[in-house]
Amino acid sequence: MRVYLAVFALLAAVHCEELLNGDQVLRIHVESEDHIQALKELEEDVDSVLDFWTHGFSTERPIDIRVPHTSLSAVKDFLKKNNVPFTVMINNVQELLDRETAEMVSNAKMERSTKSFNFAAYHDLETLYSFMDTLVASHPNLITKVHIGNSYENRPMYALKFSTGGVSRPAIWVDAGIHSREWVTQASAAWIANQIASNYGVDPSVTSLLGQMDIYLMIVTNPDGYVFTHTDNRMWRKTRSVNSGSSCRGVDPNRNWDAGFGGPGASKDPCSESYHGPYANSEVEVKNVVDLIMGHGNFKSFISIHSYSQLLMYPYGYTCTDIPDKSELHSVGTAAIKELTSLYNTIYQVGSICKIIYQASGGSIDWTYNIGIKYSFAFELRDTGYYGFLLPANQIIPTAEETWLGLKYIMEYVRNHPY
Amino acid sequence: MASTGDLEPTHYPARRAAQVALHYLNTHHGSPFRVFGLQQVHKASAEDVEAGGRKYKLDFSVTDWASGSAGPALRCSADVLFPRTERHSAPDVKLRCEALQQINRTAQEEEAFYQKHITPDSAVSARDIPDSYGNMSEEMQPFWRLARVAASFIMLRESSENTEFNMAQVASVTQQESSEEQLMLEFVVLLHDLPSQEIVQWKLLASWSPDRGVRVLQTEWQPRCPHATKPPN
């Protein structure tokens, strides 16, 4: 026996892999003093071979022992002979280890690929979708990908749901890229998604926020348009739906919501960039979001991200009449912008859509405000017209960083002001 | 629904009028090495005038756009008159900027750029400046600025209280044969109008020299699709 053990030990030292193949972990249910005696015998007899995972014997709790494959039948016979009840807890230790290792390798690879995703570049739809999968896979206890429906051309529309549990917790919605040519918005949203994921558990504010609320982040809200800006026309804004009776395609998805629909500030010409569509929610891209918001029923904030102009706006767009909560939203916006500006001195203005940029009917945040989502805001990111939609990629991260500060302020405010 | 009297400086009526003043400023003082951008409107007011026009009085600051809000600011004041005529006519601008002559002269760069491209064998030709990703080579920057200045002539002329123009992209630049010691450049530019969100395409022929500045000789509105909508205004 001793020679055998010595050889075994030598082999163990030399070969690190597949050492534990066929080994099992037995759970011993000690019920009496006799059982304890038997275990002590086992321990003294073959101590160097049996790997006790629990130390100290008592009837209070089970004792776990890893038994090498070669000793399995001997040990089991001994236990049976002494009437010591046991169960097989781990059927094959090596198999379990292999699975764990594979998972770790895959996680490390995924972490490397989220770390290697170039946030300072513009990516096509496929790459952004693949980034989402990678992010979800490396934060499986925090993020899920919600398939909210398909676009006109049947592309899946995905929102990333950040949640630490609960059922229908109060939630915050953030969307980017509803107008496809506003490339800095999708790019910033990807960075922000990663930022939220990395901040969770590290940043006390984000951690506390996610302890009480969920965040839904939609990186590409108009996938058909986004693809079109890559394949055909960089300046494409609308959806790609076919308009009956016209050779012009697409509806302005931010004139298609049910708030003052068809009023001033939207066009009834299908060839126009601000064509409102045949009726409210005619665009499946809009309908999908509407259905999610209505179905969920517990959104407390809705934030839509656009570019360019460097503005933070609140409702209304369809009318210049002040909303009842104007005072509060204006001061939240002003404080949020202060945070944003603090980083790179980027100047933003705050105001209602109608007063600060133009009257525009059928807009998303007007609809969300009117159904009771008080903290409804729209951002217009960098710049003020120098590069406009064609913002150089080296400005993506600075833009995302400063926007995140403004966004975070709003989210924290929403968390601190439940209603 | 426009208000008379004092205007909120951060709201669009004041900002649109200020942008018109900026277009005017750029047509007069823009160059391959300088384009001005709006930094901030400080004060604004508007009043209806006889003959159905509307006059804006503005107090605002501008910067050399390339240096952003970080650059030194010039204080300006302007009267911008939007006529209310049946057919659109260009706004009228009266502009005063302090210390305009004192800003860093870019004479050296201008001269070097001029000498490089006035030679008979210079035949610059490029598309999509910047490209879809916002990339613009060092070499193309002065041409982009020239296009932006030339486009300012068009943007100024086409502006009304209901427009807010920016240049979205230079679709192409093609150098023509120099004439009377002027660089001759044919541009196709894409203009973006904020309120309508339309992208409008214009072809134009511009001349430039350090002495004479930018002049726009020809402009031609271009339909963007075969089934294009009517031209603006």
Side-chain angles (χ1 to χ4, degrees), chain B:
Chain B
M1 236 183 68
S3 46
T4 307
D6 285 342
L7 301 174
E8 184 60 54
T10 58
H11 290 180
Y12 72 76
R15 194 180 59 238
R16 285 181 196 173
Q19 295 284 26
V20 170
L22 254 299
H23 295 319
Y24 180 90
L25 175 62
N26 280 321
T27 60
H28 281 75
H29 295 279
S31 80
F33 294 91
R34 173 151 291 120
V35 173
F36 290 99
L38 180 67
Q39 191 204 49
Q40 215 192 126
V41 179
H42 303 292
K43 271 174 43 205
S45 65
E47 58 178 356
D48 287 338
V49 295
E50 351 74 42
R54 191 161 175 77
K55 183 153 82 164
Y56 289 73
K57 284 175 126 58
L58 306 156
D59 171 11
F60 57 102
S61 291
V62 306
T63 56
D64 181 346
W65 219 353
S67 42
S69 35
L74 273 185
R75 195 66 172 247
C76 299
S77 64
D79 290 350
V80 177
L81 171 65
F82 291 106
R84 299 249 178 94
T85 51
E86 278 217 14
R87 271 191 66 220
H88 171 82
S89 48
D92 178 77
V93 181
K94 291 182 178 28
L95 175 71
R96 298 158 293 274
C97 288
E98 64 179 27
L100 201 49
Q101 306 314 319
Q102 287 168 34
I103 49 169
N104 272 340
R105 282 305 320 275
T106 50
Q108 268 190 318
E109 295 108 308
E110 287 180 30
E111 192 58 36
F113 175 75
Y114 176 75
Q115 290 304 334
K116 182 171 179 191
H117 294 290
I118 199 69
T119 66
D121 40 82
S122 172
V124 173
S125 176
R127 302 194 57 84
D128 296 340
I129 310 153
D131 66 16
S132 288
Y133 303 85
N135 297 322
M136 178 160 44
S137 69
E138 196 78 41
E139 221 225 318
M140 278 297 126
Q141 298 219 13
F143 290 101
W144 183 91
R145 287 189 208 107
L146 270 178
R148 181 57 172 78
V149 173
S152 301
F153 284 83
I154 300 176
M155 294 190 283
L156 173 62
R157 188 184 69 200
E158 300 297 317
S159 285
S160 73
E161 288 168 278
N162 303 315
T163 61
E164 197 171 336
F165 285 111
N166 267 304
M167 185 176 80
Q169 188 181 41
V170 179
S172 69
V173 53
T174 318
Q175 184 170 11
Q176 310 292 302
E177 201 181 303
S178 302
S179 161
E180 296 175 23
E181 298 181 337
Q182 305 298 302
L183 279 191
M184 300 293 285
L185 296 162
E186 182 192 83
F187 291 109
V188 175
V189 296
L190 298 179
L191 305 181
H192 173 233
D193 172 46
L194 207 55
S196 67
Q197 291 292 348
E198 296 296 333
I199 302 286
V200 189
Q201 187 166 299
W202 285 86
K203 182 155 99 170
L204 60 108
L205 181 63
S207 71
W208 176 79
S209 70
D211 298 329
R212 274 216 268 171
V214 177
R215 298 211 180 157
V216 172
L217 311 171
Q218 281 167 40
T219 66
E220 184 188 316
W221 174 79
Q222 308 225 291
R224 284 197 79 207
C225 339
H227 46 266
T229 44
K230 52 170 174 42
N233 292 317

Side-chain angles (χ1 to χ4, degrees), chain A residues 236-258:
Chain A
W236 191 261
R237 165 183 169 87
K238 303 188 286 182
T239 62
R240 288 294 298 160
S241 55
V242 168
N243 293 310
S244 68
S246 173
S247 54
C248 292
R249 286 176 74 149
V251 166
D252 185 338
N254 207 28
R255 301 288 185 277
N256 189 242
W257 300 69
D258 196 3

Side-chain angles (χ1 to χ4, degrees), chain A residues 1-14 19 48-49 70:
Chain A
M1 185 71 155
R2 284 201 187 274
V3 173
Y4 180 82
L5 281 176
V7 172
F8 183 79
L10 184 66
L11 284 170
V14 169
L19 236 187
S48 51
V49 181
T70 43

